[in-house]
PDB file of all heavy atoms in Angstrom:
ATOM      1  N   ARG A  87      36.059  32.215  -3.456  1.00 89.00           N
ATOM      2  CA  ARG A  87      36.729  32.081  -4.711  1.00 89.00           C
ATOM      3  C   ARG A  87      35.900  32.730  -5.863  1.00 89.00           C
ATOM      4  O   ARG A  87      36.448  33.382  -6.750  1.00 89.00           O
ATOM      5  CB  ARG A  87      36.969  30.615  -5.074  1.00 89.00           C
ATOM      6  CG  ARG A  87      37.978  29.863  -4.139  1.00 89.00           C
ATOM      7  CD  ARG A  87      38.435  28.585  -4.784  1.00 89.00           C
ATOM      8  NE  ARG A  87      39.253  28.922  -5.967  1.00 89.00           N
ATOM      9  CZ  ARG A  87      40.579  29.134  -5.939  1.00 89.00           C
ATOM     10  NH1 ARG A  87      41.167  29.000  -4.805  1.00 89.00           N
ATOM     11  NH2 ARG A  87      41.225  29.397  -6.996  1.00 89.00           N
ATOM     12  N   GLU A 134      16.754  26.535 -21.944  1.00 93.00           N
ATOM     13  CA  GLU A 134      16.990  27.079 -23.284  1.00 93.00           C
ATOM     14  C   GLU A 134      17.283  28.485 -23.351  1.00 93.00           C
ATOM     15  O   GLU A 134      17.607  29.103 -24.412  1.00 93.00           O
ATOM     16  CB  GLU A 134      15.714  26.817 -24.165  1.00 93.00           C
ATOM     17  CG  GLU A 134      14.477  27.576 -23.766  1.00 93.00           C
ATOM     18  CD  GLU A 134      13.614  26.950 -22.694  1.00 93.00           C
ATOM     19  OE1 GLU A 134      14.111  25.986 -22.069  1.00 93.00           O
ATOM     20  OE2 GLU A 134      12.501  27.414 -22.466  1.00 93.00           O
ATOM     21  N   GLY A 195      33.243  22.261 -24.940  1.00 95.00           N
ATOM     22  CA  GLY A 195      33.435  22.251 -23.478  1.00 95.00           C
ATOM     23  C   GLY A 195      32.938  23.491 -22.781  1.00 95.00           C
ATOM     24  O   GLY A 195      33.257  23.650 -21.603  1.00 95.00           O
ATOM     25  N   ALA A 197      29.735  26.934 -23.037  1.00 96.00           N
ATOM     26  CA  ALA A 197      28.453  27.337 -23.628  1.00 96.00           C
ATOM     27  C   ALA A 197      28.423  28.897 -23.582  1.00 96.00           C
ATOM     28  O   ALA A 197      28.912  29.565 -22.677  1.00 96.00           O
ATOM     29  CB  ALA A 197      27.236  26.782 -22.855  1.00 96.00           C
ATOM     30  N   ALA A 217      33.049  13.749  -9.283  1.00 87.00           N
ATOM     31  CA  ALA A 217      34.042  12.611  -9.439  1.00 87.00           C
ATOM     32  C   ALA A 217      33.572  11.694 -10.574  1.00 87.00           C
ATOM     33  O   ALA A 217      34.422  11.006 -11.191  1.00 87.00           O
ATOM     34  CB  ALA A 217      34.147  11.900  -8.122  1.00 87.00           C
ATOM     35  N   VAL A 228      29.099  36.836 -16.413  1.00 93.00           N
ATOM     36  CA  VAL A 228      27.950  37.484 -17.023  1.00 93.00           C
ATOM     37  C   VAL A 228      28.301  38.938 -17.228  1.00 93.00           C
ATOM     38  O   VAL A 228      28.899  39.607 -16.367  1.00 93.00           O
ATOM     39  CB  VAL A 228      26.727  37.370 -16.098  1.00 93.00           C
ATOM     40  CG1 VAL A 228      25.455  37.891 -16.830  1.00 93.00           C
ATOM     41  CG2 VAL A 228      26.480  35.905 -15.664  1.00 93.00           C
ATOM     42  N   LEU A 244      37.231  32.782 -20.842  1.00 96.00           N
ATOM     43  CA  LEU A 244      37.284  31.284 -20.869  1.00 96.00           C
ATOM     44  C   LEU A 244      38.521  30.763 -20.191  1.00 96.00           C
ATOM     45  O   LEU A 244      38.410  29.800 -19.477  1.00 96.00           O
ATOM     46  CB  LEU A 244      37.183  30.832 -22.302  1.00 96.00           C
ATOM     47  CG  LEU A 244      35.847  30.352 -22.731  1.00 96.00           C
ATOM     48  CD1 LEU A 244      35.820  30.012 -24.241  1.00 96.00           C
ATOM     49  CD2 LEU A 244      35.309  29.239 -21.913  1.00 96.00           C
ATOM     50  N   LEU A 284      -1.348  27.634  20.476  1.00 63.00           N
ATOM     51  CA  LEU A 284      -2.275  27.954  19.517  1.00 63.00           C
ATOM     52  C   LEU A 284      -3.436  26.986  19.379  1.00 63.00           C
ATOM     53  O   LEU A 284      -4.386  27.255  18.633  1.00 63.00           O
ATOM     54  CB  LEU A 284      -1.580  28.119  18.181  1.00 63.00           C
ATOM     55  CG  LEU A 284      -0.520  29.251  18.029  1.00 63.00           C
ATOM     56  CD1 LEU A 284       0.102  29.217  16.663  1.00 63.00           C
ATOM     57  CD2 LEU A 284      -1.149  30.580  18.280  1.00 63.00           C
ATOM     58  N   ALA A 318      17.781  13.534  14.353  1.00 93.00           N
ATOM     59  CA  ALA A 318      17.982  14.954  14.321  1.00 93.00           C
ATOM     60  C   ALA A 318      16.758  15.788  14.700  1.00 93.00           C
ATOM     61  O   ALA A 318      16.851  16.899  15.301  1.00 93.00           O
ATOM     62  CB  ALA A 318      18.437  15.357  12.941  1.00 93.00           C
ATOM     63  N   GLY A 337       8.915  17.431  -4.735  1.00 95.00           N
ATOM     64  CA  GLY A 337      10.055  17.900  -5.444  1.00 95.00           C
ATOM     65  C   GLY A 337      11.157  18.533  -4.637  1.00 95.00           C
ATOM     66  O   GLY A 337      12.111  19.117  -5.193  1.00 95.00           O
ATOM     67  N   ALA A 401      10.408  54.961  15.112  1.00 86.00           N
ATOM     68  CA  ALA A 401      10.080  56.018  16.098  1.00 86.00           C
ATOM     69  C   ALA A 401       8.710  55.854  16.626  1.00 86.00           C
ATOM     70  O   ALA A 401       7.824  55.287  15.996  1.00 86.00           O
ATOM     71  CB  ALA A 401      10.177  57.344  15.332  1.00 86.00           C
ATOM     72  N   PRO A 432      39.608  46.818  17.931  1.00 93.00           N
ATOM     73  CA  PRO A 432      40.881  46.618  18.572  1.00 93.00           C
ATOM     74  C   PRO A 432      41.303  47.911  19.219  1.00 93.00           C
ATOM     75  O   PRO A 432      41.007  49.004  18.717  1.00 93.00           O
ATOM     76  CB  PRO A 432      41.797  46.232  17.451  1.00 93.00           C
ATOM     77  CG  PRO A 432      40.895  45.702  16.343  1.00 93.00           C
ATOM     78  CD  PRO A 432      39.653  46.392  16.475  1.00 93.00           C
ATOM     79  N   VAL A 487      23.268  48.201  22.992  1.00 98.00           N
ATOM     80  CA  VAL A 487      23.929  46.912  22.992  1.00 98.00           C
ATOM     81  C   VAL A 487      24.461  46.652  21.578  1.00 98.00           C
ATOM     82  O   VAL A 487      24.052  47.230  20.629  1.00 98.00           O
ATOM     83  CB  VAL A 487      22.919  45.779  23.330  1.00 98.00           C
ATOM     84  CG1 VAL A 487      22.435  45.917  24.759  1.00 98.00           C
ATOM     85  CG2 VAL A 487      21.780  45.668  22.337  1.00 98.00           C
ATOM     86  N   LEU A 500      22.470  48.748  18.642  1.00 97.00           N
ATOM     87  CA  LEU A 500      21.094  48.968  18.825  1.00 97.00           C
ATOM     88  C   LEU A 500      20.851  49.715  20.129  1.00 97.00           C
ATOM     89  O   LEU A 500      21.429  49.418  21.108  1.00 97.00           O
ATOM     90  CB  LEU A 500      20.409  47.537  18.874  1.00 97.00           C
ATOM     91  CG  LEU A 500      18.989  47.410  19.434  1.00 97.00           C
ATOM     92  CD1 LEU A 500      18.002  48.071  18.433  1.00 97.00           C
ATOM     93  CD2 LEU A 500      18.600  46.033  19.746  1.00 97.00           C
ATOM     94  N   ARG A 523      18.623  43.281  24.725  1.00 97.00           N
ATOM     95  CA  ARG A 523      19.431  42.061  24.452  1.00 97.00           C
ATOM     96  C   ARG A 523      18.580  41.001  23.698  1.00 97.00           C
ATOM     97  O   ARG A 523      19.063  40.281  22.792  1.00 97.00           O
ATOM     98  CB  ARG A 523      19.980  41.508  25.727  1.00 97.00           C
ATOM     99  CG  ARG A 523      21.146  42.337  26.251  1.00 97.00           C
ATOM    100  CD  ARG A 523      21.674  41.800  27.530  1.00 97.00           C
ATOM    101  NE  ARG A 523      22.957  42.376  27.805  1.00 97.00           N
ATOM    102  CZ  ARG A 523      23.579  42.415  29.043  1.00 97.00           C
ATOM    103  NH1 ARG A 523      22.884  41.965  30.076  1.00 97.00           N
ATOM    104  NH2 ARG A 523      24.777  42.969  29.183  1.00 97.00           N
ATOM    105  N   MET A 544      25.549  45.695   3.734  1.00 80.00           N
ATOM    106  CA  MET A 544      25.735  46.481   4.915  1.00 80.00           C
ATOM    107  C   MET A 544      25.789  47.923   4.547  1.00 80.00           C
ATOM    108  O   MET A 544      26.335  48.330   3.495  1.00 80.00           O
ATOM    109  CB  MET A 544      27.000  46.096   5.662  1.00 80.00           C
ATOM    110  CG  MET A 544      27.031  44.615   6.153  1.00 80.00           C
ATOM    111  SD  MET A 544      25.753  44.317   7.393  1.00 80.00           S
ATOM    112  CE  MET A 544      26.409  45.328   8.761  1.00 80.00           C
TER     113      MET A 544
END
Side-chain angles (χ1 to χ4, degrees):
R87 293 198 67 90
E134 68 274 14
V228 187
L244 263 177
L284 296 180
V487 296
L500 165 70
R523 284 178 165 159
M544 297 296 292

